[in-house]
Amino acid sequence: MNYLAHLYLAQPTADSHFGNLLGDFGGKRHVEHLPNTVKNGLDNHYLVDKFTDSHRAVKHAKQYFSPERKRFAGVAIDVVFDHFLIVHWQRFSKQPLSDFKYTSYQLLNNRIPVMPARMQHVVTSMTKNDWFKEYETVEGVGLALDNIAKRIRFTNTFAGAADDIARNYDELEAVFLAFFPELIKHVSEFDLESTPKNGIKNII
């Protein structure tokens, strides 16, 4: 899953938000001197990723990407799932998305001084430029994915993934709507951060 989904599945605290994103920025290499509240958030991140990557529906969704992009289909699915979470936000949370984003950005900014350098850079850009606004449209998702393609350190054919998404939009949306409630239930059952996850009680 991508950043918005990880934050949705985090607790509404600065340490939880930090931990739930830290898995994309070196994870356990940086937790030695961090409090357990951050470590628990990191464990939750890994729980989410493991369930997502091994889920049959998510694996099946990779077929909707052309052969030249299939190697990075998992990356595209992560980002487009954030798009579908935005589209269907009211189905999964009673809190307005604008309020959630404002609170989450503030919580992340509170922990920037203790984040790894690359995470500091990404989170600063995310909160300053409201990356999740970009995810509202397929065009914005495509731009985000093209930027990822540019950062890959070897020649690749990942650019243009928005074409595959647009062509298979309904099918990918159906996968998300079937999968995401299962992910929420999985996180709730493990309860790694000990208190109810953001928004989960709204739909379970």
Side-chain angles (χ1 to χ4, degrees), residues 9 44 47-48 182-192 197 200:
L9 293 164
N44 198 59
L47 177 74
V48 168
E182 292 186 22
L183 174 60
I184 292 172
K185 182 179 180 182
H186 184 73
V187 171
S188 181
E189 287 173 347
F190 275 79
D191 198 23
L192 296 182
K197 306 298 178 287
I200 285 176

Side-chain angles (χ1 to χ4, degrees), residues 111-125:
R111 290 295 179 271
I112 283 180
V114 293
M115 291 178 181
R118 187 170 70 89
M119 188 175 183
Q120 288 183 358
H121 175 76
V122 170
V123 168
T124 297
S125 180

Side-chain angles (χ1 to χ4, degrees), residues 1-11 13-28 30-31 34 37-46 48-49 82 100 104-105 107-109 111-112 115-116 118-120 122-124 126-127 131-132 135 193:
M1 302 302 291
N2 204 50
Y3 300 138
L4 179 60
H6 277 298
L7 293 176
Y8 170 86
L9 293 164
Q11 293 298 302
T13 68
D15 280 354
S16 177
H17 272 50
F18 176 20
N20 273 276
L21 289 195
L22 183 60
D24 289 328
F25 301 95
K28 292 182 179 179
H30 303 289
V31 299
L34 294 173
T37 44
V38 176
K39 294 176 183 178
N40 291 342
L42 177 61
D43 287 341
N44 198 59
H45 175 107
Y46 290 140
V48 168
D49 279 359
D82 267 8
F100 176 86
S104 291
Y105 290 164
L107 293 173
L108 288 170
N109 283 330
R111 290 295 179 271
I112 283 180
M115 291 178 181
R118 187 170 70 89
M119 188 175 183
Q120 288 183 358
V122 170
V123 168
T124 297
M126 179 196 304
T127 58
W131 284 11
F132 300 145
Y135 293 171
E193 298 190 78

